[in-house]
Amino acid sequence: MYGRMIVTLLMATWTGWTLDWMHGEEVPAGERRILYNSDGGEAFADFWTAAAPLEEIDGARMKTIMENSVDEMAKVGVNTLATCVWDRFQTMAPSQVCPDPMQKYIAPREAGLDPLETISGRCHQRGIEFLACLRMNDRHRGGDVANKGQFIRDNPQWLLEGAPGGMDYAQPQVREQVLQFIEELLDQYEVDGLEFDYMRWCHMFEPGEGSQHSHLMTDFVDKTRELLAVAAQRRKCRRLVLGVRVPQTLRECHHLGFDVATWIRKGLIDYVVPTDFFYTDPNTNIEDFVKLAQGTPCKIYPAIHPMICEGNRPNLNSPANYRAVARNFYASGADGVETYNYQYHWAGNHAAGYPGPAYMWPAALGYLRELRDPTLIAQRDRHYRFYQIWEQKSPVGVVKNQRIKLNRGQPDLQGRRHFYLAEDLSDPGLRATLQFKAVGLTQKEALEIHLNGIKVPSRYIIRKFDEDGQNQWQGRRLDAFCWYIIDLNWKTINVPLVCGDNEIGIRLISTEDERGGRVEVSELEVYVYVRS
């Protein structure tokens, strides 16, 4: 068996293709996989739930919408579609274990349509791997159980106290109920596998008790792998996939009870999606996950989100932003990327233009096509946004506020932060600038800037004062700030930035003592323009 596998891999390499044998498909050598997570079915459901009057959208029309949506994904090269089929013990498909339907799929089911069969069937026709995604402990609307499944309504004694609305996976009955649904799902539908979305909403156990219960979650994942193996044997098909969406650091995973290292080592999972809860973070450290997966078939697919940071609702990531993040991920060893909440580009951005510009469907899917190819990314401009993605704590419970704060009343008026940049700025074909906003800095004060310990010459710095600050339509609200723009194409000395981890240091060198207060340096960005 293993000899045949080696021969197959060699033949694939000789013909210019790399066989992604875990997923059972061939992808061009050097390309990366694109996974699309349709959380809650929004890739399809918004097109009929927003229709007015709804009664005019019959089953045939809904079926067309679902199939056309899959077709558009196939055209841009999406490899895997993971559609949410289970949420708060409610389901997309008819179920005896969890009889309550997900709200968005009531209309299709009443019209005699089986959404899961329709979407998965179309995926298989178009060569897309289809995974059934489970929101493992969604807590939308908190402790209100009226909009949750029957199992939750019947068993409020197993609700988490410290994470209102979630069920306590320390209770064996809760884990068993989920496993029963998985077994039922695998019996009824020929899905290609499962994706566990642990990021909705992170806590499977009482906050602070995750690490002590990690063995329970590992046992749950182990039992899921057994169900997948039985289903694959019954269907006489290849190994069925199990992927997991988890926090973006191993420390957070450990805190919540997700023993990713054991899951990979035991061969329980086939891919990991390290991710923030809601935002795209180019500083996501995926190298720790890549190291865990080395020498195993497990793949690493970090997530991209349209949203930028907390408090910045009107703006979304652009193709240049996605290219920058993907470049960082691929330089760190990622095997591809997975989207999340991607429908915000056309239907879900809660800003003044909601429900979003219609022309972005399916145009925004085109952004994904170029993310498959690192060579193509290298030929186009990149825009890195190193923002503080959460003002306070993220839903994981971790502070992710990387602003540099300079307190005028303190003797040490300097600060620093790190940022990862997968760029070789010595390349003459590139031109780059770095910028940030210093909130609270007056026109009479000055900053000294260091990059990796090297002082930036003043001739490469442009400073502008914005007395009006930044309003809610421009991004995250900011008071008056000084905008610093640094030319990174130095003529006489080499730019100190490296391809990898970098540090920016800021020092307040002149102050107005009577003012007090502090200066906050935020919204660090790097633009890389491709000249040739």
Side-chain angles (χ1 to χ4, degrees):
M1 174 181 176
Y2 293 104
R4 289 197 300 270
M5 183 179 294
I6 293 172
V7 171
T8 303
L9 287 169
L10 288 173
M11 290 180 65
T13 302
W14 292 337
T15 57
W17 291 73
T18 300
L19 183 64
D20 188 348
W21 56 273
M22 179 57 64
H23 299 279
E25 69 173 43
E26 290 181 344
V27 293
E31 287 199 1
R32 304 296 191 269
R33 290 177 58 86
I34 302 296
L35 286 68
Y36 190 106
N37 183 297
S38 181
D39 179 47
E42 283 89 346
F44 319 100
D46 276 345
F47 291 111
W48 69 73
T49 55
L54 182 60
E55 56 268 19
E56 294 183 5
I57 307 297
D58 58 16
R61 175 59 179 148
M62 293 178 190
K63 185 172 187 291
T64 299
I65 290 172
M66 295 177 189
E67 292 179 342
N68 285 346
S69 297
V70 173
D71 291 346
E72 293 297 337
M73 292 182 183
K75 291 174 182 176
V76 301
V78 169
N79 301 100
T80 298
L81 172 62
T83 292
C84 179
V85 304
W86 186 87
D87 172 17
R88 292 169 287 182
F89 291 84
Q90 301 170 340
T91 68
M92 173 195 286
S95 168
Q96 296 297 317
V97 177
C98 299
D100 295 298
M102 294 167 63
Q103 186 68 30
K104 292 182 178 181
Y105 292 100
I106 292 177
R109 285 167 59 170
E110 288 180 346
L113 186 65
D114 186 333
L116 179 51
E117 180 63 37
T118 300
I119 297 171
S120 63
R122 193 64 164 192
C123 282
H124 293 152
Q125 291 177 20
R126 298 305 304 267
I128 295 177
E129 179 180 68
F130 179 83
L131 306 182
C133 180
L134 284 72
R135 279 185 172 187
M136 297 307 291
N137 219 4
D138 185 75
R139 294 189 284 117
H140 278 93
R141 300 183 180 91
D144 179 12
V145 300
N147 64 340
K148 295 177 171 55
Q150 180 179 325
F151 181 76
I152 298 179
R153 299 196 304 271
D154 291 346
N155 298 284
Q157 73 275 17
W158 294 328
L159 286 166
L160 293 171
E161 293 184 6
M167 295 296 278
D168 186 359
Y169 276 70
Q171 306 300 324
Q173 297 92 333
V174 173
R175 302 194 303 276
E176 182 59 31
Q177 185 75 2
V178 182
L179 289 169
Q180 287 181 17
F181 170 74
I182 292 172
E183 184 175 23
E184 178 189 52
L185 176 74
L186 295 175
D187 284 342
Q188 294 180 359
Y189 295 92
E190 292 195 1
V191 299
D192 298 311
L194 306 171
E195 180 175 283
F196 285 168
D197 184 0
Y198 286 112
M199 295 305 290
R200 289 301 181 267
W201 276 38
C202 308
H203 294 281
M204 305 297 116
F205 309 104
E206 289 291 351
E209 298 181 3
S211 58
Q212 71 188 62
H213 292 314
S214 63
H215 65 287
L216 298 177
M217 190 53 63
T218 295
D219 181 70
F220 173 84
V221 175
D222 200 340
K223 285 183 169 61
T224 300
R225 172 49 64 194
E226 292 175 3
L227 293 175
L228 289 166
V230 170
Q233 184 177 23
R234 182 181 63 251
R235 288 158 48 180
K236 295 181 173 56
C237 66
R238 60 184 175 86
R239 173 185 170 104
L240 297 181
V241 173
L242 178 58
V244 294
R245 297 186 72 251
V246 296
Q248 62 190 130
T249 68
L250 292 177
R251 181 181 179 183
E252 292 171 275
C253 291
H254 175 75
H255 173 72
L256 293 171
F258 309 143
D259 190 355
V260 177
T262 297
W263 300 352
I264 293 176
R265 177 175 50 81
K266 293 182 66 175
L268 303 181
I269 59 176
D270 300 303
Y271 70 83
V272 181
V273 180
T275 177
D276 177 63
F277 180 83
F278 204 59
Y279 304 109
T280 294
D281 185 0
N283 266 341
T284 301
N285 180 13
I286 69 164
E287 291 181 348
D288 290 340
F289 294 93
V290 171
K291 290 177 182 177
L292 288 179
Q294 282 180 350
T296 78
C298 187
K299 307 295 185 182
I300 307 299
Y301 304 122
I304 57 173
H305 303 249
M307 301 298 289
I308 298 168
C309 70
E310 187 177 21
N312 190 341
R313 301 296 285 186
N315 298 311
L316 299 176
N317 282 310
S318 70
N321 299 135
Y322 289 134
R323 287 194 290 267
V325 173
R327 187 170 173 86
N328 269 2
F329 290 164
Y330 296 158
S332 299
D335 300 289
V337 296
E338 180 180 78
T339 69
Y340 201 81
N341 275 335
Y342 199 74
Q343 77 287 344
Y344 271 38
H345 281 295
W346 59 83
N349 181 22
H350 303 292
Y354 182 82
Y359 67 83
M360 289 304 290
W361 172 266
L365 287 179
Y367 301 170
L368 303 178
R369 183 186 296 109
E370 62 186 48
L371 297 187
R372 293 171 55 96
D373 189 351
T375 302
L376 186 59
I377 292 173
Q379 296 171 358
R380 300 189 177 177
D381 297 346
R382 279 92 65 187
H383 177 191
Y384 297 82
R385 281 172 161 156
F386 301 102
Y387 284 18
Q388 59 283 2
I389 55 180
W390 292 95
E391 291 292 307
Q392 301 298 326
K393 287 185 178 180
S394 76
V396 177
V398 177
V399 175
K400 298 183 179 181
N401 187 336
Q402 293 184 301
R403 277 175 286 191
I404 296 175
K405 299 176 182 179
L406 308 176
N407 294 304
R408 290 188 178 87
Q410 299 296 322
D412 186 14
L413 295 177
Q414 59 184 335
R416 58 185 59 85
R417 63 159 298 182
H418 287 260
F419 60 98
Y420 190 89
L421 191 69
E423 301 287 349
D424 178 9
L425 297 185
S426 66
D427 183 349
L430 301 180
R431 183 170 181 81
T433 61
L434 180 150
Q435 71 174 44
F436 61 82
K437 296 168 185 175
V439 180
L441 188 72
T442 70
Q443 297 187 66
K444 296 180 180 179
E445 294 178 307
L447 297 178
E448 185 176 276
I449 305 167
H450 292 80
L451 296 176
N452 291 331
I454 304 298
K455 181 180 177 181
V456 178
S458 59
R459 61 184 176 276
Y460 296 120
I461 301 175
I462 298 175
R463 168 176 158 162
K464 298 179 180 180
F465 183 69
D466 190 328
E467 61 181 356
D468 295 325
Q470 189 166 275
N471 63 41
Q472 61 182 329
W473 310 117
Q474 296 170 312
R476 188 173 59 86
R477 287 179 179 270
L478 296 177
D479 293 331
F481 60 83
C482 285
W483 194 7
Y484 279 79
I485 304 170
I486 300 172
D487 183 358
L488 295 178
N489 290 81
W490 299 359
K491 307 300 182 183
T492 56
I493 54 178
N494 292 328
V495 177
L497 292 184
V498 299
C499 183
D501 189 51
N502 293 273
E503 180 185 84
I504 182 171
I506 306 291
R507 178 168 170 260
L508 184 58
I509 58 175
S510 62
T511 66
E512 295 182 324
D513 294 336
E514 69 277 7
R515 281 177 47 84
R518 68 185 181 189
V519 176
E520 292 190 355
V521 176
S522 62
E523 301 200 358
L524 176 68
E525 304 180 41
V526 176
Y527 293 81
V528 178
Y529 305 98
V530 179
R531 289 168 159 172
S532 61

